[in-house]
Amino acid sequence: MQPLSTQEQKKPKSGLKRSRWWRFSLWITGSILLVGLLIAGAGALWMSQLDISKLEHPLPEPTLIMDRNAQPASQLSSSRIEPVPLKQIPLELRNAVIAVEDRRFYEHSGVDIWSITRALWRDLISGSMKEGGSTLTQQLAKNLFLQSDKTISRKLKEAAYALKINMTYTKDEILELYLNSIYFGEGRWGVQGAALEYFAKPVSQLNLVESALLAALPKAPTTYSPAKNKDKALERRNLVLLLMKEQQFITTAAYNQAIVQPITLQQQNEESLKGKYPSYVDYVIEEAAELYGFTEEQILTSGLRIYTDLDPVIQQTTEEIYGQPSLFPESRTDQMIQSGAVIMDHRTGGIRALIGTRGPQVYRGFNHATQLRRQPGSSFKPLAVYGPALERGYTSSSVLYDGKLDIGGYRPRDWDGQTRGQVTLKEAILRSWNIPAVWLLNQIGIEAGLDFVQRAGIPLTAADRSLSLALGGLSEGVSPLQMAQAYGGIANLGVMQKAHAILKITTKDGHTLVEAVPQSSVLTRPTVAYDLTLLLQEAVKSGTGSAAAIGRPAAGKTGTTQLPDTPEFSSIGANGAKDAWFVGFTPELTTAIWLGYDQTDRDHYLVTSGGAVPAALFNRIMSRVLRDAPVTPFPIPGVSRNPSAEPALRSR
């Protein structure tokens, strides 16, 4: 017998190895399939237990806003939604919403894997995380059942809810639910309310152009509001029309005819909600969403009790004063001079009153007290210049330069066009001279000013790293709420309390869902805050803020921003202004007031200053709300405060 060759000897071993590898592969594959089936089963079981019964009852109990005395102050409800059946909603509106929000709505199962993949790919290409991918069904689920956080668990729940909704309801039923519940701006939820708000007619009568405009709003109702920003609204509407053409919902001829049509509104001038204190309540909704993750739908339909620091006496008083046209400059017929005001207790950070607009008010309209971003002018000097200078040893009697100044091409001028050579720090504040403020910031260093402003809770950008910071020349601007909070840190001896409206949120039966935790930070040393308070008190007694004097301790600073240095305003010169501010405080309350046009141009500008109308408004408001409160001095570092003022203020 011949011995086996080496190659023949290896064949059985090689076959054995292949057999083992095949069995191992089968085992791995089976295990993976088994694990996949278990995960899918667990997911299906979890999804089956999700409760979507709320979709059957879209209008539950109203939410109550409670004032600081735990009494009902305002009521919120989604009952203003007037549901309409899908057959009454024009096909063009349905197609417009699908085109811009979810082009594969009738093809996917509630979650569009293709759109999510496409969005992820675009994010990877652009290096950003701006693309979406949520379907209409997911948006419906998020609005009704979930908080607004951006965690992975929330996205998984959103997808699960969407899948279950898709299995439970038809596509037309889902679209009907979505169109009747989505927010369209100006305090309007649902397509019927939106049609009445913007066009004063039922949704069934909307044409293609009007339908495209409504479909443009849900992505960002404030940004694309045709009532506030027609240019952006027009751009967004035309994008919707383009998408409709690309997806063959409309013909090229219809598209060409539609995009050339202007936006024509016929708005109703009635409040969409009949509750009280719309501006304050608007901010409560915003705070509940941003700080605590509540959706607007939850706030409006869950029967919550939202306890706030709203003082009805101060709020009503401020609203009455703002309702007197004689206290404001005369507006042009086509645009009202607007204003926003915030009154807060600087000892706690609680917002006692808030005015977001003049004239007719709608819920979720633009809030000039909280959403505004305007340059604060000289009212910024205590934060950017004088506060940090006092921290570095300067005093009220320190001598500052007030002559011709040119620092790297930056040439500030005093408002009167004159110079005095030298002035004291106190004089510079009292008269609001610009040159000494810029010179002083240059002396102490821009970093010192930036640091103090950031401690005051005001965000800055790289573009703000310049000497124009001294005069409030900010790239993005500030709101009255931000200024009130910052000045509150001065009034509170250097301890800044985070401004807030909400104290706690409970269910209707008293179960606490969230409770505010006081947030404080150190703005500056108590002695610096007190010295700055005394200087600002002098500015009210005998300086540019004298119109704010109320016959009791009060401190503050005026601010006026000039018109842009462009050919459009060259003929107006120094006779006009863009913004007017007064920010001030008493031992009890801090108040910030802004005045100006929403859209400033050669026909719409102010002919007043911060030392005139805003300071006079401060006088009117503070004189009335503190009328029965005992007169107390500003607190002195190291000396205990007199607590008697607070009960008196609360019990008027």
Side-chain angles (χ1 to χ4, degrees), residues 558-593:
T558 60
T560 308
T561 63
Q562 300 305 310
L563 295 171
D565 186 15
T566 62
E568 179 182 7
F569 301 104
S570 58
S571 62
I572 301 170
N575 297 320
K578 184 177 181 181
D579 307 286
W581 293 79
F582 184 82
V583 189
F585 52 89
T586 67
E588 301 84 7
L589 299 168
T590 295
T591 299
I593 298 171

Side-chain angles (χ1 to χ4, degrees), residues 590-602:
T590 295
T591 299
I593 298 171
W594 167 84
L595 187 78
Y597 277 106
D598 280 330
Q599 302 293 332
T600 301
D601 54 41
R602 63 178 294 105

Side-chain angles (χ1 to χ4, degrees), residues 86-87 89-99 172 175 179:
L86 194 66
K87 63 182 179 181
I89 301 174
L91 180 61
E92 290 173 330
L93 176 54
R94 289 180 258 164
N95 289 339
V97 171
I98 290 172
D172 283 349
L175 184 59
L179 292 174

Side-chain angles (χ1 to χ4, degrees), residues 10 18 29 50 57 62 93 125 156 183 211 266 281 292 304-305 350 367 420 425 466 484 509 531 622-624 630 652:
K10 289 182 178 179
R18 283 197 298 270
T29 302
L50 294 175
H57 309 284
L93 176 54
I125 295 298
L156 289 174
Y183 181 60
S211 295
Q266 189 175 349
V281 172
Y292 303 112
L304 302 173
R305 301 297 182 262
N367 196 319
R420 283 142 289 276
L425 188 149
S466 70
D509 56 3
D531 289 342
M622 291 296 102
S623 294
R624 286 184 56 180
R652 288 191 325 283

Side-chain angles (χ1 to χ4, degrees), residues 345-348 488-497 526 529 586-588 632-646:
D345 183 343
H346 47 254
R347 295 164 295 190
T348 65
I490 302 171
N492 198 38
L493 287 179
V495 177
M496 189 179 74
Q497 301 288 351
T586 67
E588 301 84 7
T632 58
F634 283 111
I636 302 173
V639 178
S640 60
R641 307 183 188 188
N642 179 8
S644 61
E646 173 62 16

